[in-house]
């Protein structure tokens, strides 16, 4: 006889995923913090049965520094008996995709997603450190095996609230048309009566405040001490990887041309081209979300 099928864990508690963009000014930083607070205050405590204020206070008290990776991305993870919390600050695309998969594949009854960052006006895609996260990519996470296994085992027992900018495909009508909406309850910016502002939630928002550092253009793109020390006597081509959109520099004696600008706000070409005495031309091959220098 074969082994009996493995028993899945019962659903309990909640999962909070906060995605935070990189502020470009003090004013924008305050808007990010305000968006986080609004998403937290929409918490339907009577339905979720998790005291979000008490859970978040435990994070602020422990003051975890999180893990910082290349490019300034920071991941803060904290778990209690009732709540799993992940905060992604200035994340890369792969990091968000993995955290989204972990959350949707978890054995939690409620999942709460807050996006507080840049959004492209056209497609509504979330702007991350090295690329974008579209609605299509969000929907594709639901097709992962581990996610499908949980959703089908607990059909219509899981609630998911997504708080982000409603643009393009990011609408409740579009969500309702998706296949995953037949397996779980997904709501975009639900108009529910949440909770009142508390000191604990304010303390948590202030805890996140210290990780948000606006940078001026001079700090992000520091000038060179020596300008004009790179010259080309023969046809030369440099290619700079720029996240979802690359950049290239073509140079020949007396003429320099930059082709595209990459994606990242920290220009992938800058550390090299700042040593040129001039750029004669800039060629943009296409205008889309993957080839936009913010």
């Amino acid at each position: 006889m074969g082994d009996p099928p493995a028993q899945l864990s019962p659903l309990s508690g909640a999962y909070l995923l906060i995605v935070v963009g990189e502020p470009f000014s003090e004013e924008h930083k305050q808007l990010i913090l305000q968006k986080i607070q609004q998403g937290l205050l929409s918490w339907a405590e009577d339905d979720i049965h998790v005291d979000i204020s008490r859970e978040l206070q435990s994070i602020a008290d422990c003051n975890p520094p999180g893990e910082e990776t290349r490019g300034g991305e920071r991941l803060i993870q904290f778990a209690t008996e009732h709540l799993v919390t992940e905060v992604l600050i200035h994340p890369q695309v792969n990091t968000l995709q993995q955290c989204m998969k972990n959350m949707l594949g978890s054995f939690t009854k409620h999942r709460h997603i807050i996006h507080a960052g840049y959004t492209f006006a056209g497609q509504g895609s979330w702007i991350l450190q090295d690329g974008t996260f579209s609605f299509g990519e969000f929907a594709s996470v639901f097709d992962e095996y581990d996610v499908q296994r949980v959703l089908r085992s607990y059909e219509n027992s899981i609630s998911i609230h997504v708080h982000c900018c409603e643009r393009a495909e990011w609408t409740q009508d579009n969500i309702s048309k998706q296949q995953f909406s037949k397996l779980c309850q997904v709501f975009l910016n639900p108009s529910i009566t949440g909770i009142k502002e508390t000191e604990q939630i304010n303390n948590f928002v202030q805890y996140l405040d210290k990780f948000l550092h606006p940078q001026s253009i001079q700090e992000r793109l520091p000038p060179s001490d020596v300008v004009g020390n790179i010259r080309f006597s023969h046809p030369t081509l440099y290619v700079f990887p720029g996240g979802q959109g690359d950049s290239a520099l073509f140079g020949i004696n007396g003429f320099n041309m930059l082709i595209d600008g990459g994606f990242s706000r920290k220009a992938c070409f800058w550390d090299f081209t700042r040593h040129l005495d001039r750029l004669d031309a800039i060629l943009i091959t296409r205008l889309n979300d993957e080839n936009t220098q913010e």
Side-chain angles (χ1 to χ4, degrees):
M1 296 179 61
D3 295 332
Q7 296 296 315
L8 293 175
S9 301
L11 294 178
S12 64
Y15 203 122
L16 172 64
L17 176 62
I18 302 176
V19 184
V20 184
E22 181 189 25
F24 61 83
S25 67
E26 187 63 33
E27 181 181 5
H28 184 240
K29 172 182 173 179
Q30 296 307 316
L31 290 174
I32 288 175
L33 296 174
Q34 182 181 359
K35 178 67 176 179
I36 294 172
Q37 187 173 52
Q38 289 174 347
L40 295 174
L41 293 179
S42 70
W43 191 269
E45 201 164 68
D46 293 340
D47 298 328
I48 302 171
H49 304 297
V50 173
D51 187 339
I52 188 67
S53 294
R54 184 179 63 185
E55 299 296 332
L56 293 181
Q57 184 61 53
S58 65
I59 300 177
D61 290 341
C62 292
N63 198 26
E67 177 184 357
E68 185 171 0
T69 62
R70 60 189 175 89
E73 173 191 63
R74 185 178 294 274
L75 171 60
I76 301 171
Q77 297 175 306
F78 196 89
T80 66
E81 182 180 355
H82 305 289
L83 179 69
V84 178
T85 303
E86 288 188 336
V87 182
L88 306 180
I89 299 175
H90 192 33
Q92 299 177 8
V93 175
N94 288 340
T95 304
L96 175 57
Q97 289 174 335
Q98 185 59 54
C99 289
M100 193 73 72
K101 178 181 175 181
N102 293 343
M103 179 199 63
L104 294 177
S106 67
F107 295 101
T108 51
K109 195 170 182 61
H110 176 73
R111 296 93 189 271
H112 207 80
I113 306 169
I114 302 173
H115 174 248
Y118 302 100
T119 301
F120 272 117
Q123 298 183 6
S125 301
W126 302 356
I127 300 178
L128 307 179
Q129 181 181 146
D130 60 341
T132 60
F133 186 75
S134 67
F135 179 84
E137 289 170 306
F138 171 72
S140 68
V141 181
F142 286 86
D143 295 329
E144 295 282 347
Y145 173 78
D146 291 340
V147 177
Q148 283 287 310
R149 178 169 175 258
V150 173
L151 295 184
R152 293 185 181 278
S153 298
Y154 303 99
E155 190 169 337
N156 290 322
S157 298
I158 295 171
S159 63
I160 302 172
H161 291 176
V162 183
H163 297 270
C164 68
C165 188
E166 293 190 43
R167 286 178 176 166
E169 295 181 314
W170 292 92
T171 65
Q172 185 61 52
D173 287 343
N174 191 38
I175 285 177
S176 301
K177 298 175 184 177
Q178 303 301 314
Q179 190 68 28
F180 59 74
S181 288
K182 299 178 182 179
L183 302 174
C184 56
Q185 305 172 53
V186 184
F187 300 100
L188 182 71
N189 299 325
S191 55
I192 57 177
T193 302
I195 60 176
K196 295 182 179 179
E197 183 176 335
T198 65
E199 181 181 356
Q200 292 90 339
I201 289 180
N202 290 337
N203 289 341
F204 176 76
V205 173
Q206 289 303 311
Y207 154 72
L208 295 180
D209 178 289
K210 67 181 181 181
F211 296 114
L212 303 181
H213 306 291
Q215 278 190 317
S216 66
I217 188 67
Q218 291 80 11
E219 292 173 312
R220 188 175 296 110
L221 303 177
S224 169
D225 294 331
V226 182
V227 178
N229 62 328
I230 296 180
R231 294 182 175 85
F232 307 111
S233 57
H234 302 286
T236 306
L237 179 67
Y238 286 88
V239 178
F240 310 99
Q244 292 183 356
D246 291 340
S247 176
L249 176 72
F250 173 74
I252 194 172
N253 190 23
F255 181 81
N256 301 317
M257 180 172 65
L258 180 69
I259 304 170
D260 294 331
F263 182 88
S264 174
R265 292 182 68 210
K266 173 64 170 70
C268 56
F269 56 81
W270 181 250
D271 287 340
F272 184 89
T273 57
R274 65 178 179 163
H275 296 289
L276 301 172
D277 55 355
R278 72 178 190 273
L279 280 174
D280 298 284
I282 298 176
L283 173 64
I284 300 177
T285 61
R286 63 200 185 282
L287 287 174
N288 58 18
D289 290 0
E290 287 74 37
N291 190 40
T292 303
Q293 176 63 39
E294 302 162 63

